[in-house]
Amino acid sequence: EVFIDANDVRLVDSNDFYGLALNKNVGLKYCLTDFQIHCDKIDCKKNKDGVDVPSVVYCSCIPTSSEVTKPKGVLHWVDASTANPCEVRVYNHLFTVPEINDDIWESQLNKDSEITYNNALIDESIFNNNYPLS
């Protein structure tokens, strides 16, 4: 069992989408290259707006061979059995315009300049390296 980003799964596929959709193959980043995963089934739940969103994706492993086409997408993933909860902060531009106006600078602040994900998951291998975690 693995966790993947919700943005990497769609109920309806399109040519410009490289993630998982029903009956589509993808690779898993940093995983052995001798297999791909194939999306067999997607369970959905309603979000706060009443729209169906993917909640569980069922996949099968497809051994790579000369008959199997190379997948368009390769996804980041975290092993469910060793995932560690963490808080992730994503920083974007502070202002919504390239040149701020001193008189109205507060209205030009980007409300999404910092996005916090409180329930993110991180792979345990991060603790085996000398990365600063604070």
Side-chain angles (χ1 to χ4, degrees):
E1 182 177 5
V2 299
F3 290 115
I4 59 173
D5 191 306
N7 292 324
D8 286 335
V9 181
R10 285 190 187 167
L11 297 175
V12 179
D13 196 13
S14 63
N15 287 336
D16 62 344
F17 181 62
Y18 296 93
L20 267 177
L22 202 56
N23 296 316
K24 186 173 182 181
N25 293 0
V26 296
L28 295 177
K29 190 155 184 109
Y30 305 118
C31 209
L32 296 174
T33 57
D34 54 350
F35 74 91
Q36 301 172 20
I37 60 171
H38 176 82
C39 182
D40 299 315
K41 179 183 172 189
I42 301 175
D43 285 348
C44 296
K45 65 179 179 182
K46 301 260 186 224
N47 67 8
K48 62 184 176 191
D49 300 321
V51 177
D52 280 339
V53 293
S55 59
V56 179
V57 179
Y58 298 92
C59 297
S60 52
C61 290
I62 307 293
T64 302
S65 67
S66 57
E67 296 94 39
V68 176
T69 353
K70 184 178 175 184
K72 279 175 51 174
V74 178
L75 307 182
H76 287 91
W77 59 281
V78 178
D79 182 348
S81 66
T82 59
N84 290 280
C86 67
E87 177 182 280
V88 173
R89 296 178 186 175
V90 178
Y91 296 100
N92 296 306
H93 294 285
L94 183 58
F95 293 99
T96 58
V97 294
E99 297 290 328
I100 59 169
N101 180 328
D102 290 339
D103 297 329
I104 59 168
W105 68 270
E106 289 176 329
S107 68
Q108 296 173 329
L109 285 170
N110 179 3
K111 66 178 178 64
D112 296 321
S113 63
E114 180 185 45
I115 301 170
T116 303
Y117 297 97
N118 295 313
N119 298 316
L121 296 171
I122 192 169
D123 189 78
E124 72 173 0
S125 65
I126 195 76
F127 301 113
N128 300 331
N129 296 305
N130 293 321
Y131 299 120
L133 297 175
S134 57

Short mmCIF file of all heavy atoms in Angstrom, two decimals, residues 17-63:
data_model
loop_
_atom_site.label_atom_id
_atom_site.label_comp_id
_atom_site.label_asym_id
_atom_site.label_seq_id
_atom_site.Cartn_x
_atom_site.Cartn_y
_atom_site.Cartn_z
N PHE A 17 -2.64 15.04 -19.06
CA PHE A 17 -2.54 14.58 -17.67
C PHE A 17 -1.62 13.38 -17.60
O PHE A 17 -1.80 12.40 -18.31
CB PHE A 17 -3.94 14.23 -17.12
CG PHE A 17 -3.93 13.77 -15.70
CD1 PHE A 17 -3.48 14.62 -14.69
CD2 PHE A 17 -4.37 12.51 -15.36
CE1 PHE A 17 -3.48 14.20 -13.37
CE2 PHE A 17 -4.37 12.08 -14.05
CZ PHE A 17 -3.92 12.93 -13.06
N TYR A 18 -0.61 13.44 -16.72
CA TYR A 18 0.39 12.39 -16.61
C TYR A 18 0.20 11.51 -15.37
O TYR A 18 1.01 10.64 -15.11
CB TYR A 18 1.79 13.01 -16.60
CG TYR A 18 2.11 13.71 -17.90
CD1 TYR A 18 1.86 15.06 -18.07
CD2 TYR A 18 2.62 12.99 -18.97
CE1 TYR A 18 2.14 15.69 -19.28
CE2 TYR A 18 2.90 13.61 -20.18
CZ TYR A 18 2.66 14.96 -20.32
OH TYR A 18 2.93 15.57 -21.51
N GLY A 19 -0.85 11.75 -14.62
CA GLY A 19 -1.09 10.97 -13.41
C GLY A 19 -1.96 9.76 -13.67
O GLY A 19 -2.12 9.29 -14.80
N LEU A 20 -2.55 9.24 -12.59
CA LEU A 20 -3.37 8.03 -12.65
C LEU A 20 -4.81 8.35 -13.02
O LEU A 20 -5.40 9.31 -12.53
CB LEU A 20 -3.40 7.34 -11.29
CG LEU A 20 -2.38 6.25 -11.03
CD1 LEU A 20 -2.51 5.74 -9.61
CD2 LEU A 20 -2.48 5.12 -12.00
N ALA A 21 -5.36 7.55 -13.89
CA ALA A 21 -6.77 7.57 -14.24
C ALA A 21 -7.15 6.12 -14.54
O ALA A 21 -6.28 5.27 -14.71
CB ALA A 21 -7.04 8.47 -15.44
N LEU A 22 -8.42 5.85 -14.58
CA LEU A 22 -8.89 4.49 -14.81
C LEU A 22 -8.27 3.90 -16.07
O LEU A 22 -8.23 4.55 -17.12
CB LEU A 22 -10.41 4.49 -14.91
CG LEU A 22 -11.10 3.16 -14.64
CD1 LEU A 22 -10.73 2.61 -13.27
CD2 LEU A 22 -12.60 3.34 -14.72
N ASN A 23 -7.75 2.67 -15.98
CA ASN A 23 -7.13 1.92 -17.08
C ASN A 23 -5.88 2.59 -17.65
O ASN A 23 -5.58 2.45 -18.83
CB ASN A 23 -8.14 1.65 -18.20
CG ASN A 23 -9.26 0.77 -17.72
OD1 ASN A 23 -9.04 -0.21 -17.03
ND2 ASN A 23 -10.48 1.14 -18.04
N LYS A 24 -5.15 3.29 -16.83
CA LYS A 24 -3.94 3.97 -17.26
C LYS A 24 -2.74 3.45 -16.46
O LYS A 24 -2.88 3.13 -15.28
CB LYS A 24 -4.10 5.47 -17.06
CG LYS A 24 -2.97 6.30 -17.60
CD LYS A 24 -3.34 7.77 -17.49
CE LYS A 24 -2.26 8.65 -18.06
NZ LYS A 24 -2.62 10.07 -17.93
N ASN A 25 -1.57 3.39 -17.08
CA ASN A 25 -0.35 2.95 -16.43
C ASN A 25 0.53 4.15 -16.08
O ASN A 25 0.60 5.12 -16.84
CB ASN A 25 0.46 2.03 -17.33
CG ASN A 25 -0.21 0.72 -17.59
OD1 ASN A 25 -1.29 0.46 -17.10
ND2 ASN A 25 0.42 -0.12 -18.38
N VAL A 26 1.20 4.08 -14.93
CA VAL A 26 2.21 5.06 -14.54
C VAL A 26 3.37 4.34 -13.87
O VAL A 26 3.24 3.18 -13.47
CB VAL A 26 1.65 6.15 -13.59
CG1 VAL A 26 0.59 6.99 -14.24
CG2 VAL A 26 1.18 5.55 -12.29
N GLY A 27 4.47 5.03 -13.73
CA GLY A 27 5.60 4.51 -12.97
C GLY A 27 5.61 5.15 -11.59
O GLY A 27 4.94 6.15 -11.34
N LEU A 28 6.39 4.57 -10.68
CA LEU A 28 6.58 5.14 -9.35
C LEU A 28 8.02 5.62 -9.24
O LEU A 28 8.95 4.84 -9.46
CB LEU A 28 6.27 4.11 -8.27
CG LEU A 28 4.83 3.63 -8.19
CD1 LEU A 28 4.68 2.56 -7.11
CD2 LEU A 28 3.88 4.79 -7.91
N LYS A 29 8.20 6.88 -8.91
CA LYS A 29 9.53 7.48 -8.85
C LYS A 29 10.41 6.76 -7.83
O LYS A 29 9.96 6.41 -6.75
CB LYS A 29 9.41 8.96 -8.48
CG LYS A 29 10.70 9.70 -8.63
CD LYS A 29 10.44 11.16 -8.87
CE LYS A 29 11.72 11.88 -9.12
NZ LYS A 29 11.87 12.29 -10.49
N TYR A 30 11.66 6.56 -8.18
CA TYR A 30 12.68 5.89 -7.37
C TYR A 30 12.37 4.43 -7.08
O TYR A 30 12.96 3.82 -6.23
CB TYR A 30 12.91 6.63 -6.04
CG TYR A 30 13.24 8.07 -6.22
CD1 TYR A 30 12.42 9.07 -5.70
CD2 TYR A 30 14.37 8.47 -6.93
CE1 TYR A 30 12.71 10.41 -5.88
CE2 TYR A 30 14.67 9.80 -7.12
CZ TYR A 30 13.85 10.76 -6.59
OH TYR A 30 14.13 12.08 -6.76
N CYS A 31 11.42 3.88 -7.81
CA CYS A 31 11.06 2.48 -7.64
C CYS A 31 11.75 1.68 -8.75
O CYS A 31 12.18 2.24 -9.75
CB CYS A 31 9.55 2.32 -7.74
SG CYS A 31 8.92 0.96 -6.79
N LEU A 32 11.81 0.42 -8.58
CA LEU A 32 12.43 -0.41 -9.63
C LEU A 32 11.73 -0.17 -10.96
O LEU A 32 10.52 0.00 -11.02
CB LEU A 32 12.34 -1.89 -9.24
CG LEU A 32 13.11 -2.28 -7.98
CD1 LEU A 32 12.81 -3.73 -7.64
CD2 LEU A 32 14.59 -2.05 -8.15
N THR A 33 12.49 -0.20 -12.01
CA THR A 33 11.91 0.10 -13.32
C THR A 33 11.38 -1.14 -14.03
O THR A 33 11.01 -1.07 -15.18
CB THR A 33 12.97 0.76 -14.23
OG1 THR A 33 14.10 -0.12 -14.31
CG2 THR A 33 13.38 2.10 -13.68
N ASP A 34 11.33 -2.27 -13.33
CA ASP A 34 10.86 -3.47 -14.00
C ASP A 34 9.36 -3.69 -13.86
O ASP A 34 8.85 -4.75 -14.18
CB ASP A 34 11.64 -4.71 -13.52
CG ASP A 34 11.63 -4.88 -12.02
OD1 ASP A 34 11.18 -3.96 -11.32
OD2 ASP A 34 12.08 -5.94 -11.57
N PHE A 35 8.62 -2.69 -13.40
CA PHE A 35 7.17 -2.78 -13.39
C PHE A 35 6.55 -1.38 -13.43
O PHE A 35 7.19 -0.38 -13.16
CB PHE A 35 6.65 -3.56 -12.18
CG PHE A 35 6.71 -2.82 -10.88
CD1 PHE A 35 5.64 -2.06 -10.45
CD2 PHE A 35 7.83 -2.89 -10.08
CE1 PHE A 35 5.69 -1.36 -9.26
CE2 PHE A 35 7.89 -2.20 -8.88
CZ PHE A 35 6.82 -1.43 -8.47
N GLN A 36 5.26 -1.36 -13.80
CA GLN A 36 4.44 -0.15 -13.78
C GLN A 36 3.20 -0.49 -12.97
O GLN A 36 2.93 -1.66 -12.71
CB GLN A 36 4.00 0.23 -15.20
CG GLN A 36 5.12 0.49 -16.15
CD GLN A 36 4.61 0.66 -17.58
OE1 GLN A 36 3.45 0.94 -17.81
NE2 GLN A 36 5.50 0.48 -18.53
N ILE A 37 2.46 0.52 -12.56
CA ILE A 37 1.18 0.23 -11.93
C ILE A 37 0.06 0.63 -12.88
O ILE A 37 0.17 1.59 -13.63
CB ILE A 37 1.03 0.90 -10.55
CG1 ILE A 37 1.12 2.43 -10.63
CG2 ILE A 37 2.05 0.37 -9.56
CD1 ILE A 37 0.75 3.12 -9.34
N HIS A 38 -0.99 -0.17 -12.86
CA HIS A 38 -2.15 0.01 -13.73
C HIS A 38 -3.35 0.29 -12.84
O HIS A 38 -3.64 -0.46 -11.91
CB HIS A 38 -2.39 -1.25 -14.56
CG HIS A 38 -3.61 -1.18 -15.40
ND1 HIS A 38 -3.64 -0.54 -16.61
CD2 HIS A 38 -4.87 -1.66 -15.20
CE1 HIS A 38 -4.85 -0.64 -17.13
NE2 HIS A 38 -5.62 -1.32 -16.28
N CYS A 39 -4.07 1.37 -13.12
CA CYS A 39 -5.24 1.76 -12.32
C CYS A 39 -6.44 0.90 -12.72
O CYS A 39 -6.94 0.99 -13.83
CB CYS A 39 -5.55 3.23 -12.53
SG CYS A 39 -6.94 3.81 -11.55
N ASP A 40 -6.89 0.05 -11.78
CA ASP A 40 -8.00 -0.88 -12.04
C ASP A 40 -9.35 -0.32 -11.58
O ASP A 40 -10.37 -0.56 -12.20
CB ASP A 40 -7.77 -2.20 -11.31
CG ASP A 40 -6.50 -2.89 -11.78
OD1 ASP A 40 -6.27 -2.96 -12.99
OD2 ASP A 40 -5.73 -3.36 -10.90
N LYS A 41 -9.34 0.43 -10.47
CA LYS A 41 -10.60 0.89 -9.88
C LYS A 41 -10.32 2.12 -9.02
O LYS A 41 -9.26 2.23 -8.41
CB LYS A 41 -11.19 -0.23 -9.02
CG LYS A 41 -12.48 0.10 -8.32
CD LYS A 41 -12.92 -1.07 -7.44
CE LYS A 41 -14.09 -0.67 -6.58
NZ LYS A 41 -14.42 -1.67 -5.58
N ILE A 42 -11.28 3.04 -8.98
CA ILE A 42 -11.17 4.23 -8.14
C ILE A 42 -12.43 4.35 -7.30
O ILE A 42 -13.53 4.40 -7.84
CB ILE A 42 -10.98 5.51 -8.98
CG1 ILE A 42 -9.72 5.41 -9.85
CG2 ILE A 42 -10.93 6.73 -8.09
CD1 ILE A 42 -9.53 6.59 -10.80
N ASP A 43 -12.26 4.36 -5.97
CA ASP A 43 -13.38 4.64 -5.06
C ASP A 43 -13.41 6.14 -4.79
O ASP A 43 -12.36 6.77 -4.68
CB ASP A 43 -13.21 3.89 -3.74
CG ASP A 43 -13.50 2.41 -3.86
OD1 ASP A 43 -14.05 1.99 -4.90
OD2 ASP A 43 -13.17 1.67 -2.91
N CYS A 44 -14.61 6.69 -4.67
CA CYS A 44 -14.76 8.13 -4.48
C CYS A 44 -15.51 8.42 -3.19
O CYS A 44 -16.22 7.57 -2.66
CB CYS A 44 -15.52 8.74 -5.64
SG CYS A 44 -14.66 8.62 -7.20
N LYS A 45 -15.33 9.64 -2.73
CA LYS A 45 -16.14 10.17 -1.63
C LYS A 45 -16.50 11.60 -2.01
O LYS A 45 -15.87 12.22 -2.87
CB LYS A 45 -15.39 10.11 -0.30
CG LYS A 45 -14.17 10.98 -0.24
CD LYS A 45 -13.51 10.89 1.11
CE LYS A 45 -12.25 11.76 1.13
NZ LYS A 45 -11.54 11.69 2.37
N LYS A 46 -17.53 12.12 -1.39
CA LYS A 46 -17.97 13.49 -1.66
C LYS A 46 -17.11 14.48 -0.86
O LYS A 46 -16.86 14.26 0.32
CB LYS A 46 -19.43 13.68 -1.27
CG LYS A 46 -20.37 12.73 -1.99
CD LYS A 46 -21.04 13.42 -3.14
CE LYS A 46 -22.08 12.48 -3.74
NZ LYS A 46 -22.04 12.47 -5.16
N ASN A 47 -16.67 15.55 -1.52
CA ASN A 47 -15.95 16.59 -0.80
C ASN A 47 -16.96 17.55 -0.17
O ASN A 47 -18.17 17.33 -0.25
CB ASN A 47 -14.94 17.31 -1.71
CG ASN A 47 -15.59 18.12 -2.81
OD1 ASN A 47 -16.80 18.29 -2.87
ND2 ASN A 47 -14.76 18.62 -3.72
N LYS A 48 -16.49 18.64 0.43
CA LYS A 48 -17.39 19.58 1.13
C LYS A 48 -18.38 20.25 0.19
O LYS A 48 -19.42 20.73 0.63
CB LYS A 48 -16.58 20.62 1.88
CG LYS A 48 -15.72 21.48 1.00
CD LYS A 48 -14.87 22.44 1.80
CE LYS A 48 -13.97 23.19 0.83
NZ LYS A 48 -12.95 23.93 1.50
N ASP A 49 -18.08 20.26 -1.13
CA ASP A 49 -18.98 20.86 -2.12
C ASP A 49 -19.92 19.83 -2.73
O ASP A 49 -20.68 20.14 -3.64
CB ASP A 49 -18.18 21.54 -3.22
CG ASP A 49 -17.29 22.64 -2.68
OD1 ASP A 49 -17.74 23.35 -1.76
OD2 ASP A 49 -16.16 22.78 -3.16
N GLY A 50 -19.85 18.58 -2.26
CA GLY A 50 -20.71 17.53 -2.78
C GLY A 50 -20.23 16.91 -4.08
O GLY A 50 -20.97 16.18 -4.74
N VAL A 51 -18.98 17.16 -4.45
CA VAL A 51 -18.41 16.63 -5.69
C VAL A 51 -17.64 15.36 -5.39
O VAL A 51 -16.93 15.27 -4.38
CB VAL A 51 -17.47 17.68 -6.33
CG1 VAL A 51 -16.81 17.13 -7.58
CG2 VAL A 51 -18.22 18.96 -6.63
N ASP A 52 -17.78 14.33 -6.24
CA ASP A 52 -17.03 13.09 -6.07
C ASP A 52 -15.54 13.34 -6.30
O ASP A 52 -15.15 13.90 -7.33
CB ASP A 52 -17.50 12.03 -7.07
CG ASP A 52 -18.77 11.35 -6.62
OD1 ASP A 52 -19.08 11.39 -5.41
OD2 ASP A 52 -19.46 10.76 -7.47
N VAL A 53 -14.72 12.92 -5.33
CA VAL A 53 -13.27 13.01 -5.47
C VAL A 53 -12.67 11.64 -5.16
O VAL A 53 -13.20 10.90 -4.33
CB VAL A 53 -12.65 14.09 -4.55
CG1 VAL A 53 -13.08 15.48 -4.97
CG2 VAL A 53 -12.99 13.85 -3.10
N PRO A 54 -11.58 11.27 -5.83
CA PRO A 54 -10.97 9.97 -5.56
C PRO A 54 -10.50 9.86 -4.11
O PRO A 54 -9.94 10.82 -3.56
CB PRO A 54 -9.76 9.94 -6.51
CG PRO A 54 -10.09 10.93 -7.58
CD PRO A 54 -10.90 11.98 -6.91
N SER A 55 -10.76 8.72 -3.49
CA SER A 55 -10.30 8.50 -2.12
C SER A 55 -9.40 7.27 -2.02
O SER A 55 -8.44 7.29 -1.26
CB SER A 55 -11.48 8.37 -1.17
OG SER A 55 -12.31 7.29 -1.55
N VAL A 56 -9.71 6.22 -2.78
CA VAL A 56 -8.88 5.01 -2.79
C VAL A 56 -8.72 4.58 -4.24
O VAL A 56 -9.69 4.54 -5.00
CB VAL A 56 -9.51 3.86 -1.98
CG1 VAL A 56 -8.65 2.61 -2.03
CG2 VAL A 56 -9.74 4.28 -0.54
N VAL A 57 -7.48 4.27 -4.61
CA VAL A 57 -7.18 3.82 -5.97
C VAL A 57 -6.65 2.40 -5.88
O VAL A 57 -5.72 2.13 -5.11
CB VAL A 57 -6.14 4.74 -6.65
CG1 VAL A 57 -5.83 4.25 -8.04
CG2 VAL A 57 -6.62 6.18 -6.67
N TYR A 58 -7.24 1.49 -6.64
CA TYR A 58 -6.80 0.11 -6.67
C TYR A 58 -5.99 -0.12 -7.94
O TYR A 58 -6.46 0.18 -9.05
CB TYR A 58 -8.00 -0.84 -6.63
CG TYR A 58 -8.81 -0.70 -5.38
CD1 TYR A 58 -9.89 0.18 -5.32
CD2 TYR A 58 -8.48 -1.41 -4.23
CE1 TYR A 58 -10.63 0.33 -4.16
CE2 TYR A 58 -9.22 -1.27 -3.07
CZ TYR A 58 -10.29 -0.40 -3.04
OH TYR A 58 -11.03 -0.24 -1.88
N CYS A 59 -4.79 -0.62 -7.77
CA CYS A 59 -3.89 -0.81 -8.91
C CYS A 59 -3.32 -2.21 -8.91
O CYS A 59 -3.31 -2.90 -7.90
CB CYS A 59 -2.73 0.18 -8.84
SG CYS A 59 -3.23 1.89 -8.94
N SER A 60 -2.83 -2.60 -10.06
CA SER A 60 -2.10 -3.86 -10.19
C SER A 60 -0.74 -3.56 -10.79
O SER A 60 -0.56 -2.55 -11.46
CB SER A 60 -2.88 -4.85 -11.05
OG SER A 60 -3.24 -4.27 -12.28
N CYS A 61 0.21 -4.44 -10.51
CA CYS A 61 1.56 -4.27 -11.06
C CYS A 61 1.64 -4.94 -12.41
O CYS A 61 1.19 -6.08 -12.59
CB CYS A 61 2.59 -4.90 -10.13
SG CYS A 61 2.79 -3.99 -8.61
N ILE A 62 2.22 -4.23 -13.36
CA ILE A 62 2.40 -4.75 -14.71
C ILE A 62 3.91 -4.89 -14.94
O ILE A 62 4.63 -3.88 -14.92
CB ILE A 62 1.81 -3.79 -15.77
CG1 ILE A 62 0.36 -3.44 -15.46
CG2 ILE A 62 2.00 -4.33 -17.17
CD1 ILE A 62 -0.59 -4.59 -15.57
N PRO A 63 4.40 -6.10 -15.14
CA PRO A 63 5.84 -6.24 -15.41
C PRO A 63 6.20 -5.54 -16.72
O PRO A 63 5.46 -5.60 -17.70
CB PRO A 63 6.04 -7.75 -15.55
CG PRO A 63 4.82 -8.36 -14.95
CD PRO A 63 3.72 -7.37 -15.09
#
